[in-house]
Amino acid sequence: IQMTQSPSSLSASVGERVTITCRASQDISYSLAWYQQKPGQAPNLLIFGASNLQTGVPSRFSGTASGTDFTLTISSLHPEDFATYYCLQAHSFPLTFGGGTKVEIK
Amino acid sequence: EVQLLESGGDLVQPGGSLRLSCAGSGFMFSSSDMGWVRQAPGKGLEWVSGVSAGGGAKYYADSVKGRFTISRDNSKNTLYLQINGLRADDTAVYYCVKTSRDSYGYMQSWGQGTLVTVSS
């Protein structure tokens, strides 16, 4: 299953609303996770099951699903949110990540 | 607190072998599905392998099938990745992950990673 993530990068300001999209090449139901990775650090699970917030993740992060399209939204960008974000399909093996979206400061 | 500590990364010649280890603590290791994810320098994430809590079910990425073997020793709270036939494109940081009971794709905890470099 191929995961097409867009955009590959974006520039945004603190306080802006940011949306990142992943499209699956076939039906994966709601078996999708979102990860955040900051430079020099291991990734961190943000959302699982397409829309469920992992414990400890701020509520400004949210996930939605529509068919094979999945969206990660950051409602109001905080300084600590500048990072690279990845989607992952967890529906079937081999598991596959999207290419990543780097969120940079405008 | 969940802790995952990888070790075993090294500089290896093409065709060589390596065994990575991951020591888990702060959770019920023997009840947890586990896995490996890698990241080539400056590149994205790639899922490598997963293993069930008891070790009976194992899964691999197509790119490593037949060369990599995942295993675990629950008496030692340790996960392993045996890597054979190393190639230049295996150069990466290898992360050990603890996954959710619901899915191997929901990786709740990550180690700090261990670097494997394949070069002559």
Side-chain angles (χ1 to χ4, degrees):
Chain A
I1 299 175
Q2 309 299 320
M3 301 301 296
T4 303
Q5 188 171 341
S6 61
S8 56
S9 65
L10 64 88
S11 295
S13 301
V14 172
E16 271 193 57
R17 181 183 182 89
V18 167
T19 298
I20 299 168
T21 299
C22 264
R23 173 167 290 175
S25 60
Q26 63 188 72
D27 179 27
I28 60 169
S29 187
Y30 294 94
S31 299
L32 184 110
W34 290 98
Y35 293 87
Q36 176 193 65
Q37 186 179 32
K38 298 179 182 179
Q41 296 184 18
N44 183 48
L45 176 63
L46 298 176
I47 287 172
F48 62 94
S51 61
N52 299 290
L53 208 61
Q54 174 69 354
T55 302
V57 174
S59 59
R60 62 181 180 273
F61 291 92
S62 64
T64 59
S66 177
T68 58
D69 291 339
F70 300 84
T71 299
L72 172 70
T73 299
I74 309 172
S75 60
S76 177
L77 207 57
H78 284 208
E80 61 267 31
D81 300 337
F82 291 96
T84 301
Y85 295 84
Y86 296 92
C87 64
L88 169 81
Q89 71 81 14
H91 181 261
S92 59
F93 293 104
L95 308 184
T96 43
F97 284 94
T101 297
K102 186 173 184 179
V103 177
E104 298 176 303
I105 302 173
K106 182 184 283 185
Chain B
E1 179 192 3
V2 172
Q3 290 196 342
L4 300 169
L5 185 61
E6 303 99 332
S7 60
D10 205 350
L11 171 62
V12 185
Q13 291 189 343
S17 297
L18 210 55
R19 188 176 81 158
L20 307 183
S21 300
C22 170
S25 61
F27 65 103
M28 285 293 294
F29 185 88
S30 59
S31 299
S32 300
D33 297 335
M34 301 288 293
W36 293 93
V37 172
R38 69 182 180 182
Q39 186 169 37
K43 302 297 184 182
L45 301 171
E46 181 185 16
W47 176 82
V48 172
S49 183
V51 62
S52 61
K58 301 178 182 182
Y59 308 92
Y60 298 96
D62 292 343
S63 59
V64 308
K65 203 172 291 184
R67 298 187 301 122
F68 289 20
T69 302
I70 192 170
S71 63
R72 61 192 298 161
D73 185 340
N74 286 343
S75 69
K76 296 182 179 179
N77 287 355
T78 302
L79 176 72
Y80 302 102
L81 187 67
Q82 178 68 39
I83 307 175
N84 298 328
L86 277 157
R87 310 184 307 216
D89 61 358
D90 293 320
T91 294
V93 173
Y94 285 73
Y95 293 103
C96 168
V97 297
K98 172 186 175 297
T99 65
S100 159
R101 288 185 175 185
D102 295 329
S103 171
Y104 287 91
Y106 304 156
M107 302 165 196
Q108 300 167 320
S109 300
W110 296 63
Q112 85 291 344
T114 187
L115 177 62
V116 174
T117 303
V118 183
S119 175
S120 54

